[in-house]
Amino acid sequence: MDYQALLEQIQHQLQPVIGQGRVASYIPELAKVSPHHFGMAVVELDGTVHAVGDARVPFSIQSISKLFTLLMAFQCEGDALWQRVGREPSGNPFNSLVQLEHESGIPRNPFINAGALVLADILCTRFAVPENAVVEFMRRLAGEKDIQYDRRVARSERDTAHRNAAMAYFMRSFGNLRNPVPQVLDAYCRHCAIEMNCVDLARAVLVLANRGVVPHSGERLLSASAAKRVSALMLTCGTYDAAGDFAFRVGLPAKSGVGGGILALVPGECGVCVWSPGLEPSGNSLAGSLALETFTTLTGRSIF
Ligand code: DON
């Protein structure tokens, strides 16, 4: 498969839609990013990189961090994790409060904000400085030392995180957060503010495409069964309340973030990451979703 030619074709085909959609503005720092960026990368299991456009420009990974904090929290807790967070699609916006009351403070899945707050709480219990542990984990998976979180983006989100604070206090009232809420919110906002580029993210997700083993180091991070389960959660819950439509159009496990990134994988083959900050109403990158749809259409590489 000539992935390089394919990525160039996708970039060319998408020119008319790049810049469409709305950049997330509820986190003030993110509103400053131009919607005209577009980058896409494929990294194969043997480490071969194919990249176009802004694939090496760092962006705010936002909710893509939830995938990696899930892997870390699962390493800490094992299957006990599922007593504190569910595995069903929510069918509601990623920052919705309504289900939490009906479901006694147990979030539907780890990829909505409430679920990732539980993950952050687990990491606060386990690590003295959880954000450093997550950054270190990302560096290991991506094989790249320069990864950091952006303090300005973290502060900007923390100062305006009223809805996430409401969810966190609510879950604490049910006993599903164990650490002080301000500490959990600090960690959560810093995880979301990690900056990475498409190439490094596509490399980092190879641990799932490679059934639990980090290909460049040979380290087994999780069992093949756990890799299957996390990938299945990406398919059913990774793109917010648009997960059904996204699976229908793209047919790959994926996790998106309101910074405009979408990280996907083809099991046994490669990681794929696309970034374009203009979002459609559910919060997924508009050009990014179309790019991945085109990728699976042209290559036939989907899980179906
Ligand atoms: O908490 C927030 O709203 C953002 N830091 C992340 C939102 C996002 O990317 C979508 N979430 N699932």
Side-chain angles (χ1 to χ4, degrees), residues 21-76:
R22 295 181 62 134
V23 172
S25 56
Y26 72 100
I27 299 173
E29 273 302 305
L30 294 186
K32 298 179 182 168
V33 179
S34 161
H36 295 282
H37 289 287
F38 179 87
M40 189 165 182
V42 171
V43 180
E44 298 184 67
L45 283 192
D46 67 2
T48 310
V49 174
H50 311 273
V52 288
D54 297 323
R56 288 192 169 81
V57 177
F59 62 90
S60 191
I61 71 171
Q62 291 299 316
S63 285
I64 297 174
S65 63
K66 295 173 169 68
L67 173 61
F68 297 98
T69 54
L70 171 62
L71 296 181
M72 292 179 75
F74 185 74
Q75 281 187 322
C76 300

Side-chain angles (χ1 to χ4, degrees), residues 69-135:
T69 54
L70 171 62
L71 296 181
M72 292 179 75
F74 185 74
Q75 281 187 322
C76 300
E77 300 286 298
D79 282 332
L81 175 67
W82 307 118
Q83 286 161 20
R84 294 179 61 186
V85 60
R87 306 187 294 246
E88 290 292 344
S90 73
N92 277 307
F94 60 82
N95 57 3
S96 170
L97 278 148
V98 292
Q99 272 165 353
L100 271 182
E101 178 152 32
H102 291 302
E103 298 175 0
S104 309
I106 310 290
R108 270 284 170 106
N109 68 65
F111 294 151
I112 51 175
N113 287 6
L117 286 162
V118 172
L119 305 176
D121 183 61
I122 289 167
L123 300 183
C124 283
T125 299
R126 184 59 175 259
F127 298 100
V129 189
E131 57 273 26
N132 288 354
V134 178
V135 164

